[in-house]
Amino acid sequence: MTQDLFADLPEEPRTETITDGALVLRGFVSERAEELLRGIQQVTNVAPLRKMQTPGGHTMSAAMSCCGKQGWVTDATGYRYQASDPLSGQPWPAMPEVFAQVAKDAAEAAGFSNFEPDACLINQYEPGAKMGLHQDKDELDYEQPIVSVSLGLSQVFQFGGLKRNERPVNVPLAHGDVVVWGGPSRLRYHGVLRLKAGEHPLTGACRYNLTFRRAR
Ligand code: MD3
Ligand code: FE
């Protein structure tokens, strides 16, 4: 018989604090990753991933889609949340059950009870794609946390201060990691460095990031 020598050992603590109000839950969704990826496939079959235009006239390097009651969009007229997909004019697809559950569980683990996101932004990064330092401030209530889920290739997350000129801290985010941002961290500048080429067994040559927000 094969015995598991580690069966009785406690799991190492996998919760890391980046700064006040920002908690990394390492591997929090490892067991639900394939289910989450099926959810991404379902949503993007209906609301395809697309590279949106910034108000400044640039094309974002990450491809995006959304699900839930509200979706985040950007075009020549600005950034905003809206209930319909501009590509189809139809409401965004509903959040898959596993998305809503993961968001609630992660918020709870970080001390935010009753988090009920109305928006989930799906970002897909291919090698070379990045997101420059920015703040998330298109939501109504900054008391609500944001939950982010990383799937596929690892990417370096940059966590800055409340002013753009503050030097950011680099935090690599790997497949299955979840970060909860709330309280004093909610309005910090953040971004991700260019994705390096690689292959992940479940996603191939890309990283997905899900961000759950309460927009309205
Ligand atoms: C910190 N996405 O979609 S997720 C975004 O990896 C975004 O796709 C990055 O920034 C990504 O807006 C980072 C982590 C994240 C999301 C929202 C935050 C960190 C945050 C809001 C406030 C502070
Ligand atoms: Fe952001």
Side-chain angles (χ1 to χ4, degrees):
M1 196 186 103
T2 311
Q3 42 176 334
D4 183 352
L5 298 174
F6 303 104
D8 298 328
L9 292 178
E11 269 230 54
E12 57 185 303
R14 300 231 285 164
T15 301
E16 300 166 17
T17 301
I18 307 179
T19 178
D20 45 343
L23 216 63
V24 186
L25 309 170
R26 296 284 181 200
F28 192 78
V29 296
S30 301
E31 313 274 81
R32 289 182 273 189
E34 296 184 64
E35 205 181 339
L36 289 166
L37 287 165
R38 283 193 292 275
I40 292 173
Q41 199 52 250
Q42 284 169 14
V43 169
T44 58
N45 283 343
V46 177
L49 289 160
R50 82 292 304 260
K51 292 181 181 175
M52 297 195 269
Q53 296 295 123
T54 67
H58 296 279
T59 302
M60 295 189 77
S61 60
M64 298 179 168
S65 183
C66 301
C67 58
K69 292 233 163 11
Q70 298 290 327
W72 184 86
V73 298
T74 170
D75 60 21
T77 70
Y79 308 114
R80 63 191 173 276
Y81 283 94
Q82 64 176 51
S84 60
D85 178 350
L87 284 185
S88 65
Q90 293 297 117
W92 295 103
M95 248 186 243
E97 196 58 50
V98 62
F99 282 31
Q101 194 60 53
V102 154
K104 205 175 180 28
D105 292 349
E108 186 85 48
F112 295 91
S113 47
N114 304 316
F115 179 51
E116 287 189 29
D118 58 1
C120 173
L121 177 58
I122 302 171
N123 294 330
Q124 183 201 43
Y125 297 86
E126 290 181 320
K130 65 175 171 71
M131 192 175 289
L133 283 181
H134 66 278
Q135 291 173 296
D136 287 20
K137 33 179 208 181
D138 300 322
E139 302 76 24
L140 273 187
D141 179 5
Y142 301 147
E143 300 295 310
Q144 295 279 339
I146 291 184
V147 170
S148 115
V149 174
S150 293
L151 296 168
L153 292 177
S154 292
Q155 192 165 18
V156 177
F157 177 75
Q158 294 201 293
F159 203 41
L162 294 173
K163 298 211 164 89
R164 190 187 291 279
N165 62 10
E166 253 181 81
R167 181 193 296 277
V169 171
N170 287 355
V171 184
L173 294 180
H175 179 75
D177 291 350
V178 173
V179 194
V180 182
W181 323 85
S185 281
R186 179 63 184 75
L187 287 174
R188 282 182 185 259
Y189 278 87
H190 60 277
V192 289
L193 298 181
R194 283 187 193 287
L195 184 71
K196 291 193 184 144
E199 276 290 316
H200 187 279
L202 295 182
T203 65
C206 76
R207 168 181 181 256
Y208 292 100
N209 183 80
L210 306 175
T211 52
F212 295 96
R213 301 115 186 278
R214 184 80 202 182
R216 296 285 165 81

